[in-house]
Amino acid sequence: MAGVLVSLLPLIIGSAVVPIQIIMVTLLLTGPKQGPAKAIAFVAGMTLVRLAQGVIFGLLLTGSSSADSSAGSGLVKSTLLLVLGILLLITAYRNFAREPDPDAPPPKWLTMLNSMGPLGALASGAGLILISAKFWVFTLGALGVIGEAQLGQPSSTIAFLLFVLLAESLLIIPILIRLVMPSRAAALLGSLGDWLEAYNRQIVMVVSLVFGLLFLYQGVAGLFA
């Protein structure tokens, strides 16, 4: 299990540091009405989609230990990492060239955050995962890593749940801050949101370049090992 979590770490970090999701949660938390409830609903929407992806793409059926199954999982994992590396490098170039990110949510989503209720926030969280190719490949890459490890159903399920939890940790922490320190949270989260919005392009460019090169190398190395 520990070895699998180490292998998952780049995918966890890459998925966790995507700035747009942190910006959206911060805007919800600092909104005038039902901030914590809407932020929790937003993260719940993301979680539900990720869990559905885990079930649909066979996480719960990874208990087979045959050599053919292991080889197939390794091929899938390497292919997914290669695709993710290419997508991230394209994203890095788009941000360097100041081109719009096709995975970014429609601008109207950001303007509607304060006016939507918890159900709308739930749908927005689910929609963010569904429309973003990078989030899809991060999750499928994690499933590929777990499948290749052949942990068996219970351990595979636990490993994927840990991936989901850690991938959303940078969203859960601001929610906890808002709940535990409501009087100080507004200024703190407001400053965080302003900083992320100001440096969103640079953060995405650096993160995409670093992880794009890493995943590209891992994918190519796995395919030709």
Side-chain angles (χ1 to χ4, degrees):
M1 176 71 76
V4 173
L5 291 177
V6 171
S7 298
L8 287 173
L9 193 58
L11 293 164
I12 291 169
I13 296 173
S15 187
V17 299
V18 176
I20 186 61
Q21 60 184 341
I22 306 174
I23 292 172
M24 294 178 77
V25 166
T26 302
L27 289 175
L28 288 170
L29 287 172
T30 55
K33 295 181 180 179
Q34 297 180 297
K38 291 191 290 186
I40 291 170
F42 180 85
V43 176
M46 297 178 67
T47 303
L48 289 174
V49 173
R50 282 179 163 136
L51 294 179
Q53 290 171 331
V55 174
I56 292 170
F57 291 97
L59 174 66
L60 303 181
L61 302 176
T62 55
S64 171
S65 59
S66 69
D68 289 343
S69 177
S70 180
S73 297
L75 178 62
V76 170
K77 169 195 168 185
S78 297
T79 302
L80 288 170
L81 289 174
L82 180 63
V83 170
L84 181 55
I86 293 171
L87 286 174
L88 289 174
L89 290 176
I90 291 173
T91 300
Y93 171 76
R94 284 181 175 274
N95 279 271
F96 176 76
R98 297 182 180 273
E99 296 181 8
D101 184 356
D103 283 343
K108 65 180 181 180
W109 277 21
L110 295 179
T111 59
M112 291 172 56
L113 286 178
N114 285 334
S115 60
M116 68 175 59
L119 285 179
L122 180 77
S124 294
L128 180 64
I129 298 294
L130 288 172
I131 69 170
S132 172
K134 290 189 289 292
F135 278 127
W136 271 93
V137 184
F138 277 128
T139 302
L140 295 178
L143 290 169
V145 170
I146 295 168
E148 185 183 25
Q150 297 297 309
L151 299 173
Q153 180 175 321
S155 295
S156 294
T157 302
I158 293 171
F160 183 68
L161 291 176
L162 286 173
F163 163 77
V164 173
L165 176 64
L166 295 173
E168 295 175 357
S169 59
L170 295 185
L171 308 180
I172 296 171
I173 290 172
I175 294 174
L176 293 177
I177 292 173
R178 176 66 173 80
L179 293 174
V180 174
M181 301 186 301
S183 60
R184 298 176 54 189
L188 180 62
L189 294 175
S191 298
L192 173 63
D194 292 342
W195 184 83
L196 287 172
E197 288 190 63
Y199 295 99
N200 176 60
R201 185 180 66 85
Q202 293 91 333
I203 295 170
V204 172
M205 183 172 63
V206 172
V207 169
S208 298
L209 179 61
V210 171
F211 284 98
L213 291 173
L214 173 62
F215 293 139
L216 185 67
Y217 168 76
Q218 292 180 334
V220 171
L223 288 174
F224 293 99

